[in-house]
């Protein structure tokens, strides 16, 4: 009887620990949402729709999120434009064209990139990429959206390569065999049979990569110049949502409007990455079933 | 894509792209080693910083990062492993299991700076820990929990069913079976995933920025309620906030190298460990 009681207790403890993940997610929404909620009551959410982010001012502070959101979108869009061809290209090369030993070296080597801390990548950007951009485009400063995008692409590429490569490799050999038997060349088979068959996995990989890009903080903060302006030019300095929180949180008074506005930025980020993640999971499920 | 020539061009193009990525990774690592190594000596690693970080060593940052990594794993490892055991051995298909899985996927996607906001709101302010090691560790633990759960569950699932059935058939209870026949074989795999988690925790900057990291604090922490310096934050400060950034460039490279060596070293240990396990256990 004692053994049965013990079994039940262990089961209960494990059940309780498994619930902590759910509690943490709820906790994140509650504690980030709580401050954002206060902001919604006092200055009101309308304040966030403005096009000027000027949290410290002698006349009137304004907390318009538009420049921050467009900043994040610009950097993310540019990073995605770089990530997609490089990520898919490398994944196709590694899975279909590389020799076996070459593959065994290339994949882990690219995955090493994922483990380099973002602040180190940001530092590299600062000392190498920023001066390079400045001199090659003749700009007054190299701290631009483009610099941020290149670094973010570097951070997204390992995710995209790794997951896409798995997806491409899990395409059944019979598909390729059928295509080759019908007289298609190797490259035709890759681009018209293998890659389309692996597409849900590749799309999921890109989504997860973008999720990482939107949420990245340190590297972006170090190289984008952090000017809160609305622009579509890759050669302008921008300020992303993540960098705003990281840079300003140290200087705000607890409970001030500015403090709460930063939590509002956090909620926007949270919802954006949450949405992307859900979509990515839908695609991943599709490719695992297919 | 009709002619052989254009096909070859595309094949070459993606080869060049792949090796361009490799080239960039190699140049990051080589550049940091090349410029950082000459600066690093025993004194740099074991003394306090002086004059706002312009001179002296980085001992408190090394100690800070190590204590954060250690504290994080102490919190996250039992939680993550227990969750993985539940999911792989006990969970039945149903709403609770689906919710737990959704929560894990969601946690894995939450931006690190949002973890920082959460840690600030819950641990630093609501629970009144203040900016402290314990607040930082708990925040980082929440962040690496999904890594540990996913890799531990994978390790548990790779233990063949027959081992469990044999034990149950001999009259062992479910927990006895797990404890004696499943955990010993999956433990190395579970630890590998956890090591990767430590690497992630050691390199993160954004969450500790809001919950623990001190700008400049040339002394060692005395308790878990102290603030500490940390390597990634120290690098950020030297590279962007220091009054004379060009002058302390060598210190930046050296700090970057110590951080990189720590994180890549931890990852290397995990990879070697994994290779070792794969050789040892073949089902």
């Amino acid at each position: 009887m004692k053994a049965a009681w013990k079994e039940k207790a262990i089961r209960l403890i494990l059940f309780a620990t498994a619930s902590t993940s759910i509690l943490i997610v709820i906790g994140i929404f509650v504690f980030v949402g709580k401050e954002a909620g206060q902001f919604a009551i006092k200055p009101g959410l309308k304040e966030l729709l403005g096009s000027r982010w000027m949290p410290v001012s002698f006349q009137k502070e304004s907390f318009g999120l538009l420049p921050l959101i467009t900043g994040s979108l610009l950097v993310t869009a540019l990073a995605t434009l770089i990530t997609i061809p490089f990520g898919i290209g490398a994944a196709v090369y590694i899975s279909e064209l590389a020799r076996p030993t070459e593959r065994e070296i290339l994949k882990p080597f690219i995955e090493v990139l994922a483990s380099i801390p973002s602040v180190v990548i940001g530092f590299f950007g600062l000392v190498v990429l920023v001066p390079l951009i400045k001199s090659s485009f003749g700009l007054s400063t190299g701290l631009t959206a483009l610099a941020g995008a290149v670094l973010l692409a570097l951070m997204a590429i390992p995710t995209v390569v790794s997951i896409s490569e798995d997806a491409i490799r899990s395409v059944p050999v019979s598909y390729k065999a059928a295509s080759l038997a019908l007289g298609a060349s190797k490259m035709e088979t890759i681009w018209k049979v293998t890659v389309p068959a692996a597409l849900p996995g590749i799309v999921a990989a890109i989504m997860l990569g973008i999720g990482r890009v939107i949420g990245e903080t340190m590297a972006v903060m170090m190289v984008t110049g952090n000017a809160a302006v609305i622009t579509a030019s890759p050669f302008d300095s921008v300020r992303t949502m993540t960098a705003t929180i990281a840079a300003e949180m140290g200087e705000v008074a607890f409970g001030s409007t500015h403090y709460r506005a930063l939590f509002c930025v956090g909620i926007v980020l949270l919802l954006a990455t949450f949405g992307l993640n859900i979509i990515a999971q839908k695609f991943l499920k599709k490719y695992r079933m297919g | 894509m009709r002619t052989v020539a254009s096909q070859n061009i595309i094949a070459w193009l993606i080869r060049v792209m792949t090796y361009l990525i490799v080239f960039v990774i190699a140049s990051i690592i080589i550049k940091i080693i090349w410029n950082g190594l000459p600066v690093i000596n025993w004194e740099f690693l074991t003394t306090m910083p002086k004059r706002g970080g312009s001179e002296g060593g980085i001992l408190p940052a090394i100690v800070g990062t190590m204590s954060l990594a250690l504290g994080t794993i102490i919190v996250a490892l039992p939680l993550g492993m227990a969750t993985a055991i539940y999911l792989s051995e006990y969970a039945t298909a149903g709403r609770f299991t689906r919710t737990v899985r959704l929560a894990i996927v969601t946690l894995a996607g939450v931006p690190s700076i949002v973890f920082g906001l959460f840690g600030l709101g819950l641990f630093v302010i609501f629970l009144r820990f203040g900016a402290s090691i314990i607040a930082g560790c708990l925040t980082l633990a929440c962040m690496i929990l999904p890594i540990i759960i996913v890799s531990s569950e994978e390790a548990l699932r790779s233990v063949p069913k027959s081992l469990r059935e044999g034990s149950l058939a001999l009259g062992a209870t479910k927990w006895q079976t797990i404890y004696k026949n499943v955990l010993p074989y999956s433990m190395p795999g579970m630890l590998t995933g956890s090591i990767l988690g430590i690497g992630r925790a050691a390199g993160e900057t954004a969450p500790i920025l809001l919950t623990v990291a001190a700008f400049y604090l040339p002394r060692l922490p005395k308790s878990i309620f102290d603030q500490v310096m940390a390597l990634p934050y120290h690098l950020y400060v030297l590279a962007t906030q220091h009054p004379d950034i060009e002058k302390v460039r060598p210190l930046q490279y050296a700090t970057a190298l110590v951080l990189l060596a720590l994180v890549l070293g931890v990852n290397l240990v995990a990879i070697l460990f994994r290779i070792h396990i794969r050789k040892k256990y073949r089902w």
Side-chain angles (χ1 to χ4, degrees):
Chain A
M1 269 332 265
K2 196 174 159 247
W5 186 83
K6 192 180 159 199
E7 287 289 313
K8 264 195 184 144
I10 287 170
R11 191 191 186 94
L12 204 68
I13 292 169
L14 292 174
F15 179 83
T17 48
S19 326
T20 45
S21 300
I22 303 176
L23 291 180
I24 295 172
V25 171
I26 295 172
I28 290 174
F29 276 96
V30 167
F31 277 92
V32 180
K34 197 179 71 175
E35 298 295 336
Q38 304 261 10
F39 188 93
I41 295 167
K42 183 73 198 307
L45 287 178
K46 220 174 154 214
E47 183 72 29
L48 298 174
L49 299 176
S51 56
R52 249 159 52 113
W53 176 264
M54 205 180 272
V56 184
S57 164
F58 291 115
Q59 288 120 31
K60 183 179 175 345
E61 293 101 357
S62 42
F63 298 99
L65 295 187
L66 223 53
L68 310 182
I69 293 174
T70 55
S72 278
L73 284 180
L74 176 63
V75 176
T76 306
L78 289 172
T80 311
L81 282 182
I82 304 169
T83 305
I84 289 177
F86 276 91
I88 297 178
V92 168
Y93 180 76
I94 291 172
S95 61
E96 301 293 311
L97 299 177
R99 278 165 275 124
T101 45
E102 201 183 355
R103 175 190 305 147
E104 292 304 313
I105 297 167
L106 281 177
K107 202 179 175 194
F109 195 81
I110 289 180
E111 284 168 348
V112 162
L113 189 59
S115 64
I116 298 179
S118 66
V119 68
V120 173
I121 294 194
F123 173 62
F124 177 79
L126 210 53
V127 290
V128 174
L129 185 65
V130 167
L132 189 73
I133 288 179
K134 183 182 171 186
S135 61
S136 48
F137 295 104
L139 306 169
S140 58
T141 170
L143 298 168
T144 53
L146 181 64
V150 172
L151 294 190
L152 286 179
L154 272 179
M155 284 188 244
I157 281 172
T159 311
V160 175
V161 172
S162 185
I163 302 175
S164 310
E165 205 258 355
D166 286 342
I168 293 170
R169 285 236 268 171
S170 68
V171 172
V173 181
S174 55
Y175 286 27
K176 292 178 215 168
S179 166
L180 293 171
L182 286 168
S185 72
K186 189 171 175 182
M187 293 306 281
E188 278 171 338
T189 306
I190 289 173
W191 296 114
K192 296 194 175 152
V193 176
T194 314
V195 170
L199 206 57
I202 295 174
V203 173
I206 292 168
M207 298 296 233
L208 291 173
I210 297 176
R212 188 158 180 218
V213 162
I214 292 187
E216 222 307 304
T217 311
M218 298 315 290
V220 187
M221 178 155 83
M222 291 166 88
V223 301
T224 52
N226 295 328
V229 290
I230 298 176
T231 175
S233 160
F235 302 115
D236 280 341
S237 167
V238 293
R239 161 163 246 173
T240 63
M241 294 189 276
T242 51
T244 306
I245 302 175
E248 294 175 10
M249 195 46 108
E251 288 147 24
V252 299
F254 165 68
S256 64
T257 311
H258 185 188
Y259 174 84
R260 287 175 179 151
L262 292 178
F263 277 84
C264 293
V265 179
I267 276 283
V268 174
L269 264 176
L270 188 57
L271 293 177
T273 46
F274 185 67
L276 272 173
N277 233 308
I278 299 287
I279 301 170
Q281 291 306 320
K282 287 244 158 70
F283 278 102
L284 268 185
K285 214 173 258 169
K286 208 188 235 168
Y287 119 73
R288 275 177 194 149
M289 282 175 182
Chain B
M1 244 179 281
R2 233 164 261 147
T3 64
V4 177
S6 72
Q7 286 183 19
N8 282 339
I9 289 171
I10 292 174
W12 266 103
L13 191 69
I14 62 175
R15 172 177 288 149
V16 169
M17 286 163 99
T18 309
Y19 279 95
L20 190 63
I21 302 170
V22 170
F23 170 75
V24 173
I25 302 169
S27 56
I28 294 177
I29 295 173
I30 291 169
K31 174 132 182 116
I32 288 173
I33 294 178
W34 188 260
N35 290 294
L37 208 52
V39 186
I40 290 182
N41 52 34
W42 189 243
E43 201 198 328
F44 181 72
L45 297 174
T46 57
T47 59
M48 296 291 161
K50 279 175 259 172
R51 301 185 48 220
S54 311
E55 288 168 18
I58 53 165
L59 180 66
I62 296 177
V63 171
T65 289
M66 288 196 167
S67 47
L68 283 174
L70 187 71
T72 301
I73 208 70
I74 288 174
V75 178
L77 197 60
L79 261 181
M81 282 188 176
T83 304
I85 293 173
Y86 179 82
L87 285 176
S88 122
E89 309 296 319
Y90 288 89
T92 46
R95 184 183 287 169
F96 178 73
T97 310
R98 270 208 312 276
T99 315
V100 173
R101 290 197 188 282
L102 179 66
I104 294 167
V105 168
T106 307
L107 274 187
V110 170
S112 58
I113 188 79
V114 175
F115 275 110
L117 286 177
F118 164 66
L120 177 70
L122 175 58
F123 303 123
V124 176
I125 292 168
F126 187 72
L127 295 177
R128 296 170 193 278
F129 290 154
S132 59
I133 297 180
I134 184 167
C137 289
L138 290 170
T139 309
L140 288 171
C142 295
M143 193 186 76
I144 65 164
L145 199 56
I147 303 177
I148 295 180
I149 295 174
V150 170
S151 56
S152 298
E153 200 192 342
E154 212 167 284
L156 285 164
R157 286 192 189 276
S158 71
V159 176
K161 262 214 158 62
S162 54
L163 262 78
R164 297 183 178 89
E165 284 159 356
S167 165
L168 290 170
L170 287 169
T173 63
K174 183 151 189 153
W175 176 248
Q176 284 168 339
T177 301
I178 295 169
Y179 189 73
K180 296 249 157 101
N181 261 15
V182 179
L183 281 185
Y185 302 107
S186 54
M187 195 52 91
M190 292 166 101
L191 290 178
T192 308
S194 316
I195 300 172
L196 292 174
I198 300 182
R200 174 92 198 276
E204 265 301 341
T205 322
I208 61 171
L209 195 71
L210 306 187
T211 55
V212 46
F215 193 85
Y216 178 65
L217 190 70
R219 58 184 167 81
L220 297 180
K222 290 199 183 65
S223 83
I224 53 169
F225 293 100
D226 276 356
Q227 265 194 299
V228 280
M229 294 177 77
L231 285 171
Y233 185 51
H234 188 60
L235 172 59
Y236 168 73
V237 168
L238 286 184
T240 62
Q241 311 287 305
H242 196 276
D244 196 351
I245 290 168
E246 288 301 325
K247 204 188 111 204
V248 292
R249 195 65 94 197
L251 293 182
Q252 295 165 18
Y253 277 110
T255 308
L257 178 56
V258 173
L259 177 60
L260 195 63
L262 201 74
V263 172
L264 291 187
V266 161
N267 278 285
L268 192 66
V269 169
I271 291 165
L272 293 179
F273 203 45
R274 188 184 299 158
I275 294 171
H276 176 73
I277 304 162
R278 281 195 185 148
K279 274 190 191 141
K280 202 166 158 194
Y281 302 117
R282 278 176 199 259
W283 312 108

